[in-house]
Amino acid sequence: MQNFDVSIERRGTHAMKWDGFAPIYNLENTDGILPMWVADMDLATPDCVIDAITNRLKHPVFGYTGVNDATYRAVQQWLQSHHNFMVAQEEILFRHGVIPALANAIAALTDEGDTVLISTPVYHPFYFIPTNLNRKLATCPLHEQDGVYTFDFATFEEALKTADAYILCNPHNPGGMVWSKEDLTEIVRLCQKHNVLILSDEIHADLVFEGHSHIPIATIEGAEDVVTFMAPTKTFNLASIQSAFMIVKNAEQREKIATYYAATGQGSINVLAIEATRAAFEQGEAWRKELLSYIEGNMDIVCAALNELEGIQAHKPQGTYLLWIDYRQTGLSEEVMMARLLQDAKLALEPGTKYGEEGRGFLRMNLACSRDTAQEAIKRFTKIMA
Ligand SMILES: Cc1ncc(COP(=O)(O)O)c(C=O)c1O
């Protein structure tokens, strides 16, 4: 059993979260600031993953290495047992990150000048990847009430009329929604009707709390052309090991992506990522369950404490370890809130507008940390609201 209560010192490891946030927050000195921003965990990856990497390191040759059958099998079995998602080996295309994979898919499957639609607020790279690739970006706001997001399908359909591709975020970062079968079915129906390619970022699929279940949109009837993006990296805290994959059911799309990989000189992922992925999916399930229950504990404590504060609403997410905190009722501007947090509370949370204008009045707090850290965050946040 993993002891998630242990606090691990990450300063000094060049961790972006702990050592790299001065320029992001425009600070000269980050001493004493508790960082709860970028989406990685302060918790140790499971032993099975460390053992797999260590074992591979014992072989002294690190020449070009392809993905082995055991790793493909581990991915296939995980997807089948966790998500009822049946995938053939050739449909799994590995890449070193979901974001690079998404960029590759947009480049390979859409044309310059095409329009890529996103539902906002949403994970910020969704804004700049399409535009950096000379695609037009179209945004369609999600409907929000009390921090809970839903699709406004009338507005969504209107936006789809001029779109060529749509990037779905499921579970949703930053809102923590796990989209329902009804939502996904309607998204598929509307995208089919308007001939819009669905690119579905499901990196948070395995971080879903009791009472909710993740459904890959590619498993919805009629969704054969969806490209799905997944990874072991969020769930097992392996971001810098760099492993992700696309599931591409359509052979013609796979051909286009393969051609794009070849044209841009992209080879296999690294050998340690291959071994880590296999171990995580083969042996990491018990650890994942413990992790989820620990994070849910953090969520419960932090939500209860923040909801006591005047003007603050923290709605427990259905999935992800990210808490989306609504402070609109305080009347504070984002500038004032961020200044208070950084200078007075010594707490680095993410400003909501990072996820789009609809995020104004919200903060994102990363609760993949020890219970002590979560308690400390409550103490610091409470201090500035007094
Ligand atoms: C929705 C979403 N997609 C992708 C990523 C990043 O994926 P990767 O590090 O594999 O590029 C994140 C990280 O926070 C995320 O929240």
Side-chain angles (χ1 to χ4, degrees):
M1 201 167 145
Q2 189 92 18
N3 183 0
F4 295 113
D5 283 331
V6 176
S7 285
I8 300 170
E9 180 57 80
R10 296 183 69 195
R11 281 193 201 266
T13 64
H14 300 280
M16 268 175 67
K17 190 190 209 167
W18 287 84
D19 291 327
F21 67 102
I24 290 166
Y25 288 85
N26 217 1
L27 298 168
E28 273 175 22
N29 184 347
T30 58
D31 286 355
I33 297 182
L34 180 58
M36 301 180 86
W37 62 290
V38 68
D40 70 17
M41 306 197 216
D42 293 333
L43 309 169
T45 199
D47 288 344
C48 61
V49 172
I50 294 170
D51 291 346
I53 293 173
T54 310
N55 262 337
R56 180 57 187 86
L57 287 173
K58 286 181 190 151
H59 190 291
V61 179
F62 297 96
Y64 296 113
T65 307
V67 179
N68 54 66
D69 285 349
T71 299
Y72 278 112
R73 238 183 350 263
V75 171
Q76 288 170 289
Q77 281 170 2
W78 182 275
L79 295 182
Q80 180 172 354
S81 60
H82 287 75
H83 304 301
N84 205 17
F85 192 11
M86 259 54 91
V87 171
Q89 183 160 320
E90 71 267 20
E91 294 167 356
I92 306 170
L93 309 184
F94 278 94
R95 199 85 317 268
H96 60 281
V98 158
I99 290 309
L102 182 62
N104 283 332
I106 292 173
L109 303 178
T110 69
D111 294 319
E112 290 203 9
D114 277 1
T115 297
V116 178
L117 177 69
I118 58 174
S119 298
T120 55
V122 78
Y123 184 53
H124 52 289
F126 289 11
Y127 290 84
F128 60 74
I129 292 172
T131 50
N132 285 347
L133 289 168
N134 298 324
R135 273 65 175 169
K136 291 187 210 114
L137 183 76
T139 59
C140 178
L142 291 163
H143 175 74
E144 181 271 327
Q145 189 162 7
D146 300 329
V148 177
Y149 291 90
T150 48
F151 274 87
D152 171 350
F153 282 114
T155 320
F156 182 62
E157 177 162 21
E158 211 38 51
L160 283 176
K161 287 180 184 167
T162 51
D164 300 287
Y166 170 61
I167 313 177
L168 174 69
C169 193
N170 184 31
H172 181 251
N173 174 12
M177 309 302 302
V178 179
W179 301 117
S180 68
K181 185 163 188 186
E182 291 69 36
D183 289 326
L184 298 173
T185 304
E186 188 60 0
I187 292 168
V188 169
R189 188 183 75 79
L190 293 174
C191 286
Q192 263 190 342
K193 180 173 166 193
H194 297 286
N195 199 21
V196 174
L197 168 71
I198 300 174
L199 305 168
S200 186
D201 180 338
E202 304 187 12
I203 196 169
H204 297 276
D206 297 310
L207 294 166
V208 168
F209 300 124
E210 271 308 300
H212 303 280
S213 52
H214 174 78
I215 303 171
I217 194 167
T219 62
I220 300 288
E221 211 183 310
E224 294 76 20
D225 293 341
V226 168
V227 178
T228 309
F229 303 83
M230 290 178 154
T233 49
K234 280 293 149 216
T235 317
F236 297 98
N237 206 21
L238 297 168
S240 67
I241 292 288
Q242 303 192 337
S243 176
F245 48 89
M246 299 184 228
I247 306 292
V248 191
K249 293 260 162 200
N250 177 310
E252 208 178 302
Q253 290 175 337
R254 285 202 298 277
E255 191 61 40
K256 285 185 178 165
I257 293 167
T259 305
Y260 185 77
Y261 277 6
T264 48
Q266 303 185 59
S268 180
I269 58 169
N270 89 63
V271 68
L272 301 182
I274 296 167
E275 290 309 309
T277 301
R278 182 188 53 70
F281 286 147
E282 270 179 2
Q283 301 162 49
E285 177 57 2
W287 180 94
R288 184 189 73 101
K289 284 198 173 126
E290 286 172 25
L291 170 84
L292 272 177
S293 117
Y294 192 84
I295 291 175
E296 195 164 1
N298 283 352
M299 285 288 171
D300 286 336
I301 292 166
V302 174
C303 284
L306 296 191
N307 284 326
E308 291 291 313
L309 304 174
E310 207 176 315
I312 301 291
Q313 261 199 3
H315 191 85
K316 184 176 163 185
Q318 299 173 343
T320 82
Y321 49 67
L322 308 165
L323 182 62
W324 191 231
I325 303 166
D326 181 352
Y327 65 91
R328 288 171 298 182
Q329 294 300 319
T330 64
L332 297 175
S333 69
E334 185 166 274
E335 292 65 31
V336 171
M337 180 51 110
M338 287 307 293
R340 283 195 192 173
L341 280 169
L342 290 166
Q343 287 157 24
D344 303 337
K346 299 266 178 210
L347 201 51
L349 307 185
E350 293 209 314
T353 56
K354 185 164 183 175
Y355 300 88
E357 194 45 39
E358 296 83 4
R360 192 172 290 284
F362 290 84
L363 296 160
R364 198 189 76 166
M365 180 189 269
N366 176 346
L367 283 170
C369 56
S370 70
R371 192 67 36 92
D372 281 354
T373 302
Q375 298 279 17
E376 180 62 26
I378 294 171
K379 209 158 81 191
R380 293 183 185 210
F381 199 105
T382 304
K383 188 175 134 200
I384 57 158
M385 298 312 297

